[in-house]
Amino acid sequence: MQQLYDTRAPNPPSRAILVGVKLRDALMHETEESLQELRQLTETAGIEAVCETIQPRDVPNPTYFIGEGKVEELKTLTAELEADAVIFDEELSPAQTRNIEQALNIATVDRTGLILQVFAQRASTKEARLQVALAQLEYALPRLTRMWTHLSRLATGAGGGGGYLRGPGETQLEMDRRWIRRHISQVKKALDTVEKRRHVQRRNREEKINVSLVGYTNAGKSTLFNALTGESVLAENQLFATLDSTTRKVNLPQNQQILLSDTVGFIKKLPHQLVAAFKATLEEVAEADLLLHVVDVSHSEAEAQIDAVNEVLAELDATDIPMLMAFNKTDRLETEDALQFLRSRYPEALPISAQRGDGIEALREALAQRFVNRGAIVALNIPYTAGKTLDLLYKHGTVLDTVYDAEAVRVNARVPSRYLKAVKPFLVTANEAEVYAESTQ
């Protein structure tokens, strides 16, 4: 089954022309910014962007998305620039993709297909490769253009065996589609196993405080994760450096402890296939106690990126989860204007630089305050012979005050719910609590 996890095209394009389309209701600067992001995606995929072009249109052409005149212009450009692919900053229909490929005689990739290629290259674990495989197979099924013919090569090696033969009167295209449907079913079964394992892991963490990092791709989530946890997970200045969810413990002020999860970054027009395929991973977000939304405030489209993240959170039914926003990369700001404008919109957001460590302690304090009321305040009467219980309180709870008597320590403490059972034998009675309260006044 190893081949099943490798859905990278064997001969990807090397030189591409990028095509943007400004539709009637779009602003030109938004189209230009999106095309610049497409260039980043193209470079991340290892493809050289040799030219960029934008066509204004009121509505998409149903045959080519762009106009016929633009198709003729692209024919000339591809010959002059020796391009072997054209990449659109839109999602094309299967028919539009086929029509453009036939007209230009080179590979045609839309934004969704390019993002899937980047994910395929970045996936390093079996789980991530399964998730990307599912997304690519479902995307490829109605298309099966030259960019996806590599999938049929896997039919003899990915569980198909030598007995996978074409049926009577069955075309190669029909056989490829049958093969893809069969492997979609296999990958879904494998991902069901992954989802069940994650469900068990989350159930074991139910009594713990779970915080998930969310944000636009390349906002600095992994760098902040490292700063808060002391870990060294991959943190690159590239789109989608993190695909696999990583969870670690973080100690906060007032003896609090949370579980922090780093998750895959979001992007505008994030393919629905990826959201569905990464369901098991993204449930870390949907079931968190708090979302820590990391924003790259140095980016010219920071507010649009915030909106894009919120759209994906809505798709995950995670908009009701409490959120704390961190304005990252403040060290890259040339002026304070952009930061001040965003802070006027989001006054509770904290300015930080995860790279330099600026504002990290203030962020820890803010996280601690969010959970300061988590747990129960209890009055305890702990004999000196039960020193381990007192140690537990200082290590995992918040000791509010103590009174040392002849035979025991009277303690007023905030105890996380998962430790209440351990201290239950030392809870004071109502009468004892009154005496204790008077003695501390």
Side-chain angles (χ1 to χ4, degrees):
M1 292 290 288
Q2 180 59 37
Q3 294 95 326
L4 179 61
Y5 307 143
D6 187 3
T7 53
R8 295 169 296 179
N11 297 303
S14 58
R15 294 169 60 82
I17 295 172
L18 310 186
V19 180
V21 180
K22 180 201 170 296
L23 298 175
R24 179 172 47 209
D25 296 332
L27 299 175
M28 180 56 78
H29 81 88
E30 292 175 345
T31 304
E32 292 171 344
E33 185 66 37
S34 185
L35 195 62
Q36 179 60 34
E37 186 173 81
L38 188 74
R39 172 181 281 274
Q40 285 183 276
L41 285 165
T42 302
E43 293 170 350
T44 301
I47 304 170
E48 180 185 0
V50 296
C51 177
E52 298 174 10
T53 181
I54 294 176
Q55 182 182 41
R57 287 190 63 85
D58 285 343
V59 293
N61 180 320
T63 305
Y64 299 109
F65 203 97
I66 53 176
E68 294 183 11
K70 194 67 172 178
V71 173
E72 293 301 317
E73 179 186 325
L74 287 174
K75 278 185 185 178
T76 304
L77 280 173
T78 55
E80 290 179 354
L81 300 173
E82 299 181 341
D84 55 359
V86 58
I87 301 176
F88 280 73
D89 193 27
E90 303 290 340
E91 182 165 343
L92 304 176
S93 70
Q96 288 168 337
T97 302
R98 286 193 292 269
N99 293 337
I100 296 168
E101 282 206 337
Q102 290 171 3
L104 302 181
N105 198 33
I106 61 172
T108 300
V109 186
D110 64 6
R111 184 182 178 93
T112 296
L114 181 62
I115 291 173
L116 291 174
Q117 285 188 52
V118 171
F119 268 60
Q121 293 172 357
R122 307 295 291 184
S124 58
T125 66
K126 178 179 176 180
E127 180 181 345
R129 291 196 296 271
L130 276 169
Q131 291 167 321
V132 174
L134 177 60
Q136 282 203 334
L137 288 166
E138 292 186 332
Y139 175 80
L141 183 59
R143 291 169 171 83
L144 287 179
T145 63
R146 72 184 67 205
M147 284 301 295
W148 305 97
T149 53
H150 65 287
L151 294 172
S152 63
R153 292 184 307 105
L154 307 182
T156 59
Y164 187 75
L165 300 174
R166 189 183 305 182
E170 188 177 32
T171 66
Q172 180 65 45
L173 181 61
E174 289 168 339
M175 187 177 75
D176 288 346
R177 284 177 176 162
R178 180 159 60 92
W179 179 90
I180 287 179
R181 289 190 186 99
R182 185 161 59 90
H183 280 79
I184 285 174
S185 178
Q186 289 182 359
V187 175
K188 282 184 174 179
K189 287 180 182 177
L191 282 174
D192 282 344
T193 302
V194 170
E195 189 169 348
K196 288 175 183 175
R197 187 179 71 243
R198 282 189 175 274
H199 180 71
V200 171
Q201 291 173 344
R202 282 194 297 272
R203 192 170 58 199
N204 292 337
R205 304 196 306 246
E206 279 180 354
E207 290 192 353
K208 299 179 181 177
I209 301 170
N210 294 282
V211 177
S212 283
L213 288 165
V214 298
Y216 209 77
T217 181
N218 207 32
K221 296 186 301 301
S222 294
T223 304
L224 178 57
F225 181 86
N226 290 339
L228 289 171
T229 64
E231 293 284 330
S232 55
V233 300
L234 179 67
E236 295 183 10
N237 187 26
Q238 278 193 324
L239 303 182
F240 302 116
T242 300
L243 294 189
D244 294 289
S245 176
T246 304
T247 301
R248 296 290 185 272
K249 294 178 181 178
V250 175
N251 293 318
L252 299 177
Q254 303 183 43
N255 287 338
Q256 295 162 303
Q257 189 179 81
I258 63 171
L259 292 178
L260 183 68
S261 296
D262 190 16
T263 59
V264 62
F266 302 156
I267 196 170
K268 294 175 189 172
K269 309 173 191 174
L270 185 67
H272 293 290
Q273 293 94 339
L274 279 174
V275 175
F278 277 71
K279 179 174 178 287
T281 301
L282 291 174
E283 279 185 354
E284 299 284 354
V285 172
E287 298 190 8
D289 296 298
L290 176 75
L291 301 180
L292 181 51
H293 183 172
V294 186
V295 180
D296 176 3
V297 289
S298 69
H299 199 284
S300 59
E301 293 292 314
E303 194 163 18
Q305 291 185 352
I306 292 173
D307 292 338
V309 170
N310 289 335
E311 286 177 11
V312 179
L313 292 175
E315 193 168 347
L316 295 171
D317 293 325
T319 52
D320 292 334
I321 299 173
M323 179 184 291
L324 176 62
M325 195 173 286
F327 287 157
N328 192 28
K329 303 188 182 182
T330 54
D331 54 308
R332 297 189 182 184
L333 290 172
E334 295 181 2
T335 69
E336 293 287 313
D337 295 346
L339 179 60
Q340 293 305 322
F341 171 75
L342 284 173
R343 292 198 74 178
S344 69
R345 294 286 308 275
Y346 307 96
E348 293 186 2
L350 298 174
I352 66 167
S353 169
Q355 188 73 46
R356 287 198 319 203
D358 300 348
I360 299 301
E361 288 309 311
L363 178 58
R364 287 179 182 275
E365 288 286 349
L367 287 170
Q369 286 302 313
R370 286 294 182 113
F371 302 112
V372 70
N373 294 322
R374 186 76 169 231
I377 295 179
V378 294
L380 304 168
N381 189 23
I382 304 173
Y384 290 111
T385 55
K388 288 184 178 179
T389 301
L390 194 59
D391 290 340
L392 180 146
L393 290 176
Y394 277 103
K395 185 176 181 181
H396 299 291
T398 303
V399 176
L400 303 176
D401 51 58
T402 57
V403 174
Y404 291 89
D405 289 339
E407 298 179 355
V409 184
R410 293 179 177 269
V411 181
N412 201 14
R414 186 185 305 279
V415 182
S417 56
R418 63 184 178 276
Y419 295 112
L420 286 174
K421 186 176 181 180
V423 301
K424 186 177 180 181
F426 308 105
L427 288 171
V428 302
T429 65
N431 290 337
E432 288 175 321
E434 289 178 10
V435 173
Y436 172 77
E438 291 175 1
S439 67
T440 56
Q441 289 176 356

